Amino acid sequence: MTSIDIEEFAIIRINEYEYGTKRESVYLVIREFDKIAMGEAPRSPKRSLEEDTVTKVKRQKVVPFSKITSISELMPHTSGITVHVLVISRTGIVNGKFSLTVCDQSGNGGAVFRDLVPGCSCYITGARLQCVSKYRFLDMRDTAIITICEPGDYLEMVYSYTPLDDICGKASVDILCVVVDGGELVATEVGGSSTSRRSLEVVGRDGYIVSVTFWGQRAIDLTVAMGDILAIGDVLPKVFHAQYTLTCTDTSCVGQNLDNAESNALQQWWTTQSHDKTDYRRVMAISSLRTLLDTEIPLDESYYSAIAGYITIVEQGKITYNACSSCNRQLTEYAGQWLCNNCGVACSSPSLQYVLRVRVDDGHYNANMKVFGKAAVTLLGVSADDWIHLSEDDHSALFESVADHHYHITCMAHAVMNQDIVDAEYTIISVTIVDTITQTPS
Ligand SMILES: [Zn+2]
């Protein structure tokens, strides 16, 4: 903790300290403390600090909370307001000050308070409401008194959970999920200023996985471990590369390992599940193949799309190639060496990779696409290294089996010049088996 966490006249509980003497003075080095409440300047110089502290705590307990204003009913420029709030996020500390976003029981957020700690519930009495453009601020100045709630008085966020598979097209959702990947804190630039970002991968009870991004101080403050249960309120679904992701804003409330029935049930469920994130299905923004085919793609740009459909192998000839170990491009054999034209060097340890030519059919339209890497392994069910040791009959059976499933397909389209005509090429990035067609014997 740093000195800026102690405000003037704050009441704190010292948990850990060292006692020392220097010349004639006695001093305490505070190692750890909790902030209990905000006090007031001592009025009488005669009273000792100890007596004053006792009085202050007493005074805080008798603050009349009968007249509590709902945030939704706050009028501009009124003073002496008491609100009962839950702190849900905090900004970074600049010049010793920071802002918090809070909400109250009416579910209204958007008022910003200073000098509070995130995660706490409290009464604020004597604040003044200020309005600056579309923002409303509760100005604490010297007049406001903060009283941390008694346990029975704590405000708790009420969540209304949406299954991850159901977040598509919604403006904002509450989710209950388990952390499968904690994500790194990444320094990034947004609109010319630098900030921090952390993207978690979380799994829902419905077996779907989604990435949740936190920004700024929230990203820095967040400490999560694998298997933590998060309740996240008011998080925004967005589409990136045809996949749904979630973004936390200032008004998103995060509850970590809450002790309630739903949270405990998810924790219990997680103990019996795979902890490998590749075993979970992504939430995709599925569109029709027609939309993809109708989309004009500018040269040098890529366009991502997700389709639900069937896949058949178009060319059943040679489907493997020797790939460069650093860029995965096809190698050419020259004078007993494998050369990569892309990297410009000889590759000493080429790997065997698939290139499949397939037709994707969504029931209305179809298109030819290429499939490489992991997506091809998912389709054929064996690695390229294993493939070359299988018999032709095995090859035929595996080619046929590709058509037995219904898939969710993510593909990337990019424009290429074909004899002065701009043409689109489609590459499948990933496939997920949605269900298997059961053949009725004829
Ligand atoms: Zn290469």
Side-chain angles (χ1 to χ4, degrees), residues 16-216:
E16 212 183 307
Y17 66 92
E18 277 168 29
Y19 179 82
T21 50
K22 199 171 187 182
R23 296 199 185 107
E24 242 107 81
S25 309
V26 177
Y27 65 91
L28 291 182
V29 178
I30 299 172
R31 295 288 180 208
E32 201 198 307
F33 70 91
D34 290 327
K35 197 155 141 187
I36 306 294
M38 282 298 289
E40 286 173 342
R43 293 213 171 94
S44 161
K46 283 179 205 160
R47 269 192 281 173
S48 76
L49 185 66
E50 198 182 328
E51 279 166 359
D52 198 65
T53 306
V54 172
T55 318
K56 265 183 275 175
V57 171
K58 273 185 186 162
R59 189 182 305 141
Q60 307 252 334
K61 278 188 178 164
V62 295
V63 166
F65 293 140
S66 55
K67 199 172 178 328
I68 291 167
T69 311
S70 156
I71 289 180
S72 62
E73 289 164 359
L74 288 178
M75 298 294 290
H77 311 300
T78 41
S79 51
I81 301 158
T82 298
V83 290
H84 185 195
V85 296
L86 177 69
V87 178
I88 54 184
S89 69
R90 193 190 82 169
T91 66
I93 300 170
V94 179
N95 298 329
K97 291 177 180 172
F98 57 92
S99 297
L100 294 132
T101 301
V102 303
C103 75
D104 70 1
Q105 222 151 20
S106 66
N108 285 286
V112 179
F113 299 77
R114 296 193 310 241
D115 307 329
L116 286 173
V117 262
C120 77
S121 186
C122 59
Y123 293 98
I124 299 170
T125 299
R128 183 183 169 87
L129 185 69
Q130 304 250 15
C131 298
V132 178
S133 71
K134 62 175 180 170
Y135 298 102
R136 296 180 302 166
F137 294 85
L138 270 190
D139 187 346
M140 312 273 288
R141 299 285 159 103
D142 307 324
T143 56
I145 298 169
I146 303 165
T147 312
I148 306 297
C149 295
E150 299 288 327
D153 235 7
Y154 241 76
L155 279 184
E156 276 181 32
M157 182 57 70
V158 178
Y159 298 92
S160 170
Y161 299 122
T162 299
L164 291 185
D165 188 28
D166 215 20
I167 62 175
C168 314
K170 300 228 162 65
S172 102
V173 290
D174 295 355
I175 61 159
L176 184 68
C177 54
V178 51
V179 177
V180 67
D181 186 340
E184 296 282 308
L185 189 66
V186 181
T188 182
E189 288 235 335
V190 176
S193 59
S194 55
T195 182
S196 300
R197 174 171 57 85
R198 189 194 300 275
S199 291
L200 307 179
E201 301 268 59
V202 299
V203 168
R205 181 72 191 260
D206 58 0
Y208 278 84
I209 185 170
V210 73
S211 111
V212 187
T213 304
F214 296 78
W215 295 91

Side-chain angles (χ1 to χ4, degrees), residues 324-329 331 340-345 347:
C324 169
S325 52
S326 43
C327 73
N328 261 346
R329 303 282 176 95
L331 298 169
C340 176
N341 292 329
N342 187 48
C343 300
V345 290
C347 178

